[in-house]
Amino acid sequence: MEQRVGLSVRRKWLNLSECSRYLSKQLSETVSVSDVARLIADGELTPSINIQTRVFTRKVSIQPTKLSETLSDIDVVISDNRRLLKKEPLIGDSIIQYAKPINDEVINFLGVWEVKPIGAVKREAEIKYSECEGLPFPERSIYDTKGVIISDKGHDYQVQFMIDPQKELTELVDVAKVNGAHNSGFITGHIDKLQKAELDAKNGEFSRCLVPCISFPEGAYLVVQMDHLNEFISEVNGNARKKPSAKTANLQAELIFALIATTYGLDVARSPRSHFDGKDGVIGNDLRDKGFEPPSGNTVSGWLKNVDL
């Protein structure tokens, strides 16, 4: 009898609902859209973006950078971002993953492209997860990597959008006067940048008017390419990544326990959860300060649950 071949073998990518159905079938278990969004947000499943209307990008290098060194960027004071300055305490020495432009060249993208699960992409996945589970939506943070980061052939590109420099300049001057900050060096420096961008725009030059997007581009949505889906399925089924033996897992857990105990004390190692999570989690904060994204406290507790030291 002739074997039937499903349409999925001809597809290059699937949206999140299609991913849910495909993974459920391939793994013989129920995988919801919520699960797919969670896997993307946690970095377990490589996401892509379907860009239906051409976007502008700049080539960037993502590198650990002090927050204070990024506050001179013109996008910090645009109307969509100013509230972030008031929402959170600004700790200038905090290390963030900063997308630094390599040059002023503007590159167009259209169609399906792999993206990094950080910044606006991670937030989009978190929003979808929260929507499915009836949870509060995540807020943007000044400590996040800005915008959508497209990965292509070993290079990273940050999606940009166009601001109206005249509108932003007028609003910034008005806000500064109301708050008595019009003579502040921080404000005057940004006013100067906006004035130059406004002059450039009048002369038909718009490169200074491009800033990192604050959300997904209009009409764009998350997808997963088939290669990444099938790679994930292989990993789950144990075909691509061999699960460590119980002995190896125990040795790894004991090493993690010993490192935490040596640095933070035995009591912290025995109850690590709260020390990784939230704004007061000292281990989580220390890792972020050094440019590392910490695992959740619940995950670490799971690793160490059988350690008897």
Side-chain angles (χ1 to χ4, degrees), residues 16 21 24 27 41 49 52 54 58 65 75 80 82 98 117 120 129 141 144 173 183 187 190 200-201 219 263 278 300:
L16 299 197
R21 296 193 292 270
S24 295
L27 297 174
I49 186 174
Q52 301 189 92
R54 195 175 301 276
R58 280 199 172 103
T65 305
D75 65 288
D80 288 323
R82 280 198 301 271
Y98 177 61
Y129 174 76
S141 169
D144 293 340
V173 170
N183 291 322
I187 295 297
H190 280 292
D200 283 354
T263 307
V300 177

Side-chain angles (χ1 to χ4, degrees), residues 4-61:
R4 296 181 63 187
V5 178
L7 273 178
S8 60
V9 301
R10 304 299 297 271
R11 293 287 299 272
K12 300 297 184 184
W13 55 268
L14 301 178
N15 66 36
L16 299 197
S17 295
E18 293 169 326
C19 286
S20 166
R21 296 193 292 270
Y22 182 73
L23 289 173
S24 295
K25 182 177 180 180
Q26 296 298 319
L27 297 174
S28 300
E29 62 178 276
T30 301
V31 180
S32 66
V33 172
S34 171
D35 291 327
V36 176
R38 187 71 263 151
L39 288 167
I40 290 173
D42 290 344
E44 295 289 337
L45 186 57
T46 302
S48 293
I49 186 174
N50 186 12
I51 302 170
Q52 301 189 92
T53 302
R54 195 175 301 276
V55 298
F56 301 113
T57 73
R58 280 199 172 103
K59 193 174 183 179
V60 296
S61 171

Side-chain angles (χ1 to χ4, degrees), residues 32-35 38 127-137:
S32 66
V33 172
S34 171
D35 291 327
R38 187 71 263 151
I127 288 172
K128 189 64 177 178
Y129 174 76
S130 298
E131 185 181 81
C132 291
E133 298 294 330
L135 301 171
F137 285 5

Side-chain angles (χ1 to χ4, degrees), residues 123 136 161 201 256 260:
R123 191 168 63 257
F161 80 104
I256 294 169
I260 294 174

Side-chain angles (χ1 to χ4, degrees), residues 146-193:
K146 297 175 184 176
V148 173
I149 307 296
I150 295 173
S151 295
D152 181 44
K153 298 176 182 176
H155 300 290
D156 294 326
Y157 302 85
Q158 185 183 53
V159 177
Q160 310 280 303
F161 80 104
M162 188 86 69
I163 63 169
D164 179 344
Q166 183 178 27
K167 171 180 170 292
E168 296 295 345
L169 178 60
T170 300
E171 289 185 6
L172 180 61
V173 170
D174 289 344
V175 168
K177 287 180 179 178
V178 169
N179 291 280
H182 54 285
N183 291 322
S184 152
F186 174 78
I187 295 297
T188 55
H190 280 292
I191 287 175
D192 180 61
K193 288 184 175 69

